[in-house]
Amino acid sequence: MSTLLTGDLIRAARALIGLSQAELAKKAGITQKALGEFELGKRPITARANEKLRRVFDEVQVQFIAANIEASHLEGAGVRWKPLQPNSGIKTI
């Protein structure tokens, strides 16, 4: 199972690809209301919604990253365009 996306990561990825909440929600097959609540942290993301959003982001080569350390929490989490060559020192989430 993939790490659950946070609202900040969803917003950042959406900004990177230049989609509105309505556009991303439609592509992912979730409601705009749910997406907005996920992004604001008003509602925890479900595993199903997480996978739907990840599919959309994966299709456009967006990658979620964090520092490559052994920790139970994410350090330095962010988003980037998926590189052609993997980069050591960065963990994908």
Side-chain angles (χ1 to χ4, degrees):
M1 179 175 151
S2 301
T3 302
L4 292 178
L5 297 173
T6 65
D8 290 341
L9 287 173
I10 295 168
R11 261 192 325 279
R14 185 170 59 78
L16 183 65
I17 61 177
L19 291 180
S20 69
Q21 277 187 350
E23 292 167 327
L24 177 56
K26 183 176 181 179
K27 285 183 177 289
I30 61 175
T31 67
Q32 182 179 352
K33 180 178 187 226
L35 178 58
E37 290 175 348
F38 297 150
E39 286 189 359
L40 293 173
K42 292 183 175 181
R43 175 176 166 184
I45 191 167
T46 63
R48 184 174 177 164
N50 187 67
E51 290 307 314
K52 288 180 175 186
L53 288 166
R54 280 182 172 276
R55 263 196 301 272
V56 172
F57 294 134
D58 190 54
E59 287 173 4
V60 295
Q61 301 298 305
V62 168
Q63 186 176 54
F64 297 93
I65 59 171
N68 195 13
I69 60 171
E70 297 300 321
S72 60
H73 64 284
L74 298 177
E75 290 284 330
V79 298
R80 69 177 182 181
W81 295 113
K82 192 174 189 176
L84 297 177
Q85 298 293 320
N87 188 4
S88 62
I90 296 178
K91 168 173 55 177
T92 59
I93 56 173

